[in-house]
Amino acid sequence: MRVEVINIEQTKNEAKRYILNKIPLVSKVFQFNSVIGDIKLEYIEFKVLIYEVISKKKNNRIFKNESKKETITMLVNTYNGRSESIDKIPNTLNKYISKSCIRESKINEDDLVNVVKEEIVSRLTDRLSYDSIDKISIQINIVDIKSIYKPYWVANFRGRNIFIDS
């Protein structure tokens, strides 16, 4: 399957060293089991959601309303549901990846769009003072949805899967 992928910056050996460096020395001495099992490369789907936010200030004037447009770009991890606002979309490469290396998303795309929309509304109302909330109407429209995939090294270590950013 051909998809847009963020470039891999960390090799498999660097990922192993990273895990072993994070283990405390006391654990290494007492447990004797600092062997890392399978390390494989998996890709997690991230959705780039671009919203257009139109805010209109209610006035007593009939013909002159102050309106303001801005775009908000959100990056959402479809595996765990975390989202963040970003300034620019990460650089990607067009690459072939087998479907077995891609983690399934746990969140439906329609639900994702609505949840992020509600999150934007709550953030915007938090920024405004309570007096001015009644004087402003906010309209949020989805402009674009794009899927990108981010690589992670997944290591089996003492029966747990550990995700290491690649």
Side-chain angles (χ1 to χ4, degrees), residues 8-9 13 16 18 23 26 41 50 59 65 75 83 101 103 110-111 120 128 138 140 143 146 151:
I8 299 172
E9 297 175 1
N13 290 333
K16 276 185 182 181
Y18 177 79
I23 300 171
V26 176
L41 190 64
I50 301 173
N59 290 339
N65 286 333
L75 184 67
S83 65
C101 293
R103 284 259 174 166
D110 296 332
D111 296 336
I120 291 173
L128 299 171
I138 298 172
I140 300 176
V143 176
K146 183 179 176 182

Side-chain angles (χ1 to χ4, degrees), residues 89-134:
I89 300 171
N91 295 330
T92 58
L93 307 168
N94 214 354
K95 199 173 186 181
Y96 177 79
I97 299 172
S98 91
K99 283 192 174 187
S100 64
C101 293
I102 296 175
R103 284 259 174 166
E104 278 189 44
S105 64
K106 294 182 177 180
I107 302 170
N108 186 6
E109 187 173 305
D110 296 332
D111 296 336
L112 182 77
V113 169
N114 291 329
V115 167
V116 173
K117 192 176 190 178
E118 291 171 8
E119 184 179 329
I120 291 173
V121 168
S122 69
R123 285 184 185 179
L124 289 176
T125 54
D126 286 347
R127 277 197 303 182
L128 299 171
S129 64
Y130 290 108
D131 300 333
S132 65
I133 291 176
D134 298 333

Side-chain angles (χ1 to χ4, degrees), residues 31-160:
Q31 293 177 350
F32 299 115
N33 187 11
S34 58
V35 177
I36 299 170
D38 301 344
I39 288 188
K40 59 185 177 180
L41 190 64
E42 289 191 0
Y43 293 85
I44 295 178
E45 182 181 15
F46 280 74
K47 294 280 187 183
V48 178
L49 305 171
I50 301 173
Y51 289 93
E52 180 182 57
V53 178
I54 303 169
S55 60
K56 293 181 181 177
K57 200 170 194 179
K58 296 178 183 175
N59 290 339
N60 292 336
R61 301 178 195 153
I62 297 172
F63 297 110
K64 241 184 180 179
N65 286 333
E66 296 177 31
S67 65
K68 194 163 118 179
K69 277 188 183 180
E70 65 179 291
T71 58
I72 296 175
T73 306
M74 299 291 284
L75 184 67
V76 183
N77 185 336
T78 60
Y79 185 69
N80 62 13
R82 291 191 180 140
S83 65
E84 64 178 310
S85 177
I86 57 173
D87 294 329
K88 71 174 201 167
I89 300 171
N91 295 330
T92 58
L93 307 168
N94 214 354
K95 199 173 186 181
Y96 177 79
I97 299 172
S98 91
K99 283 192 174 187
S100 64
C101 293
I102 296 175
R103 284 259 174 166
E104 278 189 44
S105 64
K106 294 182 177 180
I107 302 170
N108 186 6
E109 187 173 305
D110 296 332
D111 296 336
L112 182 77
V113 169
N114 291 329
V115 167
V116 173
K117 192 176 190 178
E118 291 171 8
E119 184 179 329
I120 291 173
V121 168
S122 69
R123 285 184 185 179
L124 289 176
T125 54
D126 286 347
R127 277 197 303 182
L128 299 171
S129 64
Y130 290 108
D131 300 333
S132 65
I133 291 176
D134 298 333
K135 297 177 184 175
I136 294 178
S137 66
I138 298 172
Q139 179 183 359
I140 300 176
N141 301 323
I142 186 84
V143 176
D144 190 23
I145 301 173
K146 183 179 176 182
S147 292
I148 59 174
Y149 292 84
K150 186 172 182 181
Y152 284 93
W153 291 105
V154 180
N156 186 356
F157 185 70
R158 295 191 184 121
R160 295 186 324 194

